[in-house]
Amino acid sequence: QVQLVESGGGLVQAGGSLRLSCAASGRTFSDYTMGWFRRAPGKEREFVTAISWIAGTTYYADSVKGRFTISRDNAKNTLYLQMNSLKPEDTAVYYCAACLRCRRFVDYTATDFGSWGQGTQVTVSS
């Protein structure tokens, strides 16, 4: 299992930006497809974006496409989520997740990911 720790959450005004980080330890980071999920108050957890362990292929939920960018630095064992043009509806706890040698490259679900971080709160004020 890989251990994941998110950071970078906070309070930001609508239209602003935040960058989340997820530090991984315990296993070979480059063997994992990495993803971000979020859970808004009163709602179910939803997929945000993922970056594959092969070729760094990225995939985004329609709700964040063009505003969020996922990236990874395998040398630093770190995953990033750059969030721009934030909206109040982006308010949620954001979770980092890992899928070992994932065979899926689109349409990810939470059940694809076996390791999860504790989450970091992102609040966007209007």
Side-chain angles (χ1 to χ4, degrees), residues 36 49 58 60 64 66-71 80-84:
W36 290 99
T49 180
T58 58
Y60 294 90
V64 305
R67 299 188 299 121
F68 290 11
T69 302
I70 189 172
S71 62
Y80 303 100
L81 181 64
Q82 179 65 44
M83 304 186 293
N84 298 329

Side-chain angles (χ1 to χ4, degrees), residues 50-92:
I51 184 167
S52 72
W53 65 290
I54 296 178
T57 303
T58 58
Y59 184 72
Y60 294 90
D62 288 343
S63 58
V64 305
K65 204 172 294 183
R67 299 188 299 121
F68 290 11
T69 302
I70 189 172
S71 62
R72 65 190 298 163
D73 186 335
N74 288 341
K76 295 183 178 180
N77 292 345
T78 303
L79 175 74
Y80 303 100
L81 181 64
Q82 179 65 44
M83 304 186 293
N84 298 329
S85 303
L86 282 161
K87 305 175 181 180
E89 52 263 42
D90 294 319
T91 294

Side-chain angles (χ1 to χ4, degrees), residues 15 31 54 75 94:
D31 284 345
I54 296 178
Y94 284 71

Side-chain angles (χ1 to χ4, degrees), residues 11-123:
L11 173 64
V12 64
Q13 288 189 332
S17 298
L18 278 177
R19 188 195 198 201
L20 305 184
S21 298
C22 173
S25 62
R27 293 288 298 267
T28 304
F29 182 68
S30 60
D31 284 345
Y32 287 86
T33 287
M34 299 299 298
W36 290 99
F37 287 75
R38 67 186 181 187
R39 187 192 298 272
K43 296 187 177 181
E44 295 186 354
R45 179 173 50 187
E46 67 171 346
F47 171 79
V48 177
T49 180
I51 184 167
S52 72
W53 65 290
I54 296 178
T57 303
T58 58
Y59 184 72
Y60 294 90
D62 288 343
S63 58
V64 305
K65 204 172 294 183
R67 299 188 299 121
F68 290 11
T69 302
I70 189 172
S71 62
R72 65 190 298 163
D73 186 335
N74 288 341
K76 295 183 178 180
N77 292 345
T78 303
L79 175 74
Y80 303 100
L81 181 64
Q82 179 65 44
M83 304 186 293
N84 298 329
S85 303
L86 282 161
K87 305 175 181 180
E89 52 263 42
D90 294 319
T91 294
V93 177
Y94 284 71
Y95 298 91
C96 169
C99 172
L100 180 62
R101 298 193 186 98
C102 218
R103 296 188 177 186
R104 187 190 297 277
F105 297 94
V106 296
D107 298 330
Y108 294 97
T109 67
T111 56
D112 293 320
F113 295 83
S115 299
W116 293 82
Q118 83 290 348
T120 185
Q121 176 71 47
V122 171
T123 302

